[in-house]
């Protein structure tokens, strides 16, 4: 019976001691369900007795795998590392990849040249799969990755008819819940600060805002809608425009906590008290929401859990291999629930 030069027990030794074939040992180690419980227990006993440790590099080469996954975020570095949303998402992705002994390659793709370089990197088969976040509606990258034959899962989606697998939160429900709460508090001139409309998440939250008004018997007023860019400065600019155009507004639903923070500063500068004069609601339920003065009412979306869920889905697709899973255009679609967290700002 052969032993590796470094003295470590081999897969063949584990198989011989367990009384099973080498392929059965490999399937047990890789977590396959197509192994009997008796064989699984025998392999586990042999692994424990011999002190066998799987060689990750050999496993990767044997399966034509790199044991690396790319998380692609098409946003500026300053935004990715300053906004709680991205940090929570990365935390969830990293936790699941660590459990699976996979490496995380964080990639920021901001220009067409960077997109082309990244596609060349993918074509060289240097990662096993790709996770995409913050994708805008006209971004061709998800489709290009899919055409390369790589498993890909998105955080969010580009449209209602998204063909690529995705994990999202109930963004329409977020807008509706915020408006319903504001109406219940007697607010009637409810404005909104939306994200950029080339992103589905922004359109969905804006749609929920409008649906909430209609359900409350309030006719939507487009003068109370201002488009921003999910940044704090965008929230400031939008709030100034709204106050100039509709000084009688008594509530604001901002499509992110970051934009709500920008709006809060402008309201304070204009002498408007929150919530006495203007109620304020954000989305994400970030740490910043809890620390704001007054603490911000916010729609919680399970950001870290979205990161975990999309990673588990991608790992499953990688394990199943090409051709497995739903037919083209019938991919996995997961929408996680949101929850309104009421604090003193509303």
């Amino acid at each position: 019976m052969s032993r590796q030069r470094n003295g470590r027990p081999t897969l063949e030794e584990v198989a011989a001691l367990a009384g099973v074939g080498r392929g059965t040992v490999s399937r047990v180690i890789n977590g396959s369900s197509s192994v009997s419980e008796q064989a699984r227990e025998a392999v586990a006993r042999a692994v424990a007795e011999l002190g066998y440790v799987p060689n990750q590099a050999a496993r990767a080469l044997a399966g034509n795998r790199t044991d690396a996954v790319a998380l692609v975020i098409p946003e500026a570095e300053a935004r990715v590392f300053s906004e709680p949303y991205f940090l929570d998402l990365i935390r969830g992705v990293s936790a699941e990849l660590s459990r699976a002994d996979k490496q995380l390659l964080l990639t920021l793709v901001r220009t067409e040249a960077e997109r082309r370089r990244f596609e060349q990197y993918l074509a060289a088969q240097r990662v096993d799969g790709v996770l995409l976040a913050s994708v805008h509606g006209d971004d061709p990258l998800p489709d290009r990755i899919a055409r390369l034959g790589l498993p890909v899962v998105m955080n969010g989606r580009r449209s209602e008819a998204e063909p690529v697998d995705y994990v999202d939160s109930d963004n329409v429900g977020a807008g509706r819940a915020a408006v319903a709460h504001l109406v219940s508090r007697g607010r009637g001139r409810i404005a909104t600060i939306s994200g950029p409309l080339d992103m589905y998440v922004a359109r969905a939250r804006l749609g929920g805002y409008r649906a909430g008004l209609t359900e409350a018997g309030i006719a939507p007023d487009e003068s109370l809608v201002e488009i921003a860019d999910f940044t704090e400065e965008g929230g400031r600019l939008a709030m100034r425009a709204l106050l100039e155009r509709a000084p009688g507004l008594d509530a604001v639903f901002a499509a992110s906590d970051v934009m709500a923070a920008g709006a809060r500063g402008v309201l304070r500068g204009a002498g408007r008290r929150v919530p006495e004069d203007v109620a304020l609601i954000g989305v994400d339920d970030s740490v910043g929401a809890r620390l704001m003065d007054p603490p911000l009412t916010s729609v919680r979306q399970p950001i870290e859990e979205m990161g975990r869920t999309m990673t588990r889905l991608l790992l499953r697709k990688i394990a199943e291999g090409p051709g497995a899973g739903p037919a083209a255009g019938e991919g996995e679609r997961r929408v996680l629930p949101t929850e309104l967290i009421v604090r003193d700002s509303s």
Side-chain angles (χ1 to χ4, degrees):
M1 190 179 298
S2 66
R3 184 176 287 270
Q4 294 178 2
R5 289 181 183 176
N6 60 10
R8 294 192 312 181
T10 65
L11 198 70
E12 288 76 11
E13 289 179 280
V14 174
L17 183 59
V20 299
R22 186 181 187 280
T24 299
V25 176
S26 180
R27 286 194 294 277
V28 171
I29 291 172
N30 285 284
S32 172
S33 59
S34 60
V35 181
S36 71
E37 190 60 34
Q38 181 180 357
R40 192 183 308 280
E41 291 176 359
V43 170
R45 285 195 299 270
V47 165
E49 183 174 334
L50 293 172
Y52 175 75
V53 178
N55 186 320
Q56 296 292 336
R59 284 171 57 191
L61 288 171
N64 195 28
R65 301 250 176 95
T66 67
D67 279 341
V69 166
L71 170 60
V72 184
I73 305 177
E75 300 288 353
E77 182 176 348
R79 185 179 174 202
V80 170
F81 292 107
S82 65
E83 292 193 14
Y85 181 92
F86 294 115
L87 298 179
D88 286 348
L89 187 72
I90 292 169
R91 186 179 298 112
V93 169
S94 178
E96 286 299 318
L97 289 180
S98 178
R99 288 182 57 191
D101 290 326
K102 302 286 186 183
Q103 295 182 14
L104 171 62
L105 173 67
L106 178 61
T107 305
L108 308 184
V109 177
R110 294 147 293 193
T111 66
E112 182 57 33
E114 289 178 339
R115 185 181 290 112
R116 286 196 299 269
R117 283 197 298 271
F118 181 65
E119 289 174 24
Q120 291 169 359
Y121 183 88
L122 295 180
Q125 298 183 334
R126 294 181 178 177
V127 297
D128 296 330
V130 180
L131 299 166
L132 284 166
S134 194
V135 178
H136 293 249
D138 59 352
D139 195 328
L141 190 56
D143 302 310
R144 292 178 183 176
I145 295 171
R147 283 197 294 270
L148 288 172
L150 277 170
V152 55
V153 178
M154 294 171 56
N155 171 231
R157 43 188 148 160
R158 292 168 293 177
S159 71
E160 191 67 47
E162 178 60 63
V164 175
D165 293 358
Y166 64 80
V167 176
D168 204 355
S169 64
D170 182 8
N171 291 297
V172 173
R176 295 172 76 165
V179 171
H181 172 72
L182 291 168
V183 170
S184 74
R185 296 295 175 92
R187 309 292 173 157
R189 292 281 289 165
I190 303 170
T192 187
I193 299 175
S194 170
L197 297 186
D198 66 336
M199 299 184 72
Y200 175 81
V201 58
R203 297 197 304 275
R205 289 175 189 172
L206 180 58
Y209 158 82
R210 288 172 173 150
L213 290 176
T214 300
E215 289 163 4
I218 301 172
D221 181 350
E222 291 306 305
S223 71
L224 294 172
V225 176
E226 188 66 23
I227 310 302
D229 60 1
F230 283 127
T231 68
E232 188 170 349
E233 178 61 18
R236 282 193 286 267
L237 294 173
M239 194 68 250
R240 290 190 190 110
L242 285 168
L243 286 176
E244 183 176 341
R245 192 166 60 237
L249 63 84
D250 60 7
V252 177
F253 166 55
S256 75
D257 290 348
V258 172
M259 292 196 297
R264 174 69 186 91
V266 170
L267 288 170
R268 174 174 287 173
R272 304 294 181 92
R273 298 169 301 163
V274 175
E276 292 85 354
D277 302 321
V278 179
L280 183 62
I281 294 181
V283 179
D284 286 338
D285 189 34
S286 61
V287 172
R290 298 188 284 277
L291 298 178
M292 198 179 297
D293 179 24
L296 180 69
T297 294
S298 184
V299 182
R300 176 184 294 162
Q301 56 173 342
I303 303 169
E304 187 170 335
E305 181 56 32
M306 282 196 289
R308 287 179 176 274
T309 301
M310 62 192 287
T311 305
R312 288 194 295 265
L313 177 55
L314 182 73
L315 292 174
R316 194 191 77 195
K317 287 161 65 71
I318 291 170
E320 290 174 345
E330 299 178 358
E332 294 273 3
R333 300 173 176 88
R334 309 279 179 87
V335 178
L336 305 186
T338 54
E339 177 188 4
L340 182 71
I341 308 300
V342 178
R343 298 191 179 94
D344 295 342
S345 72
S346 64

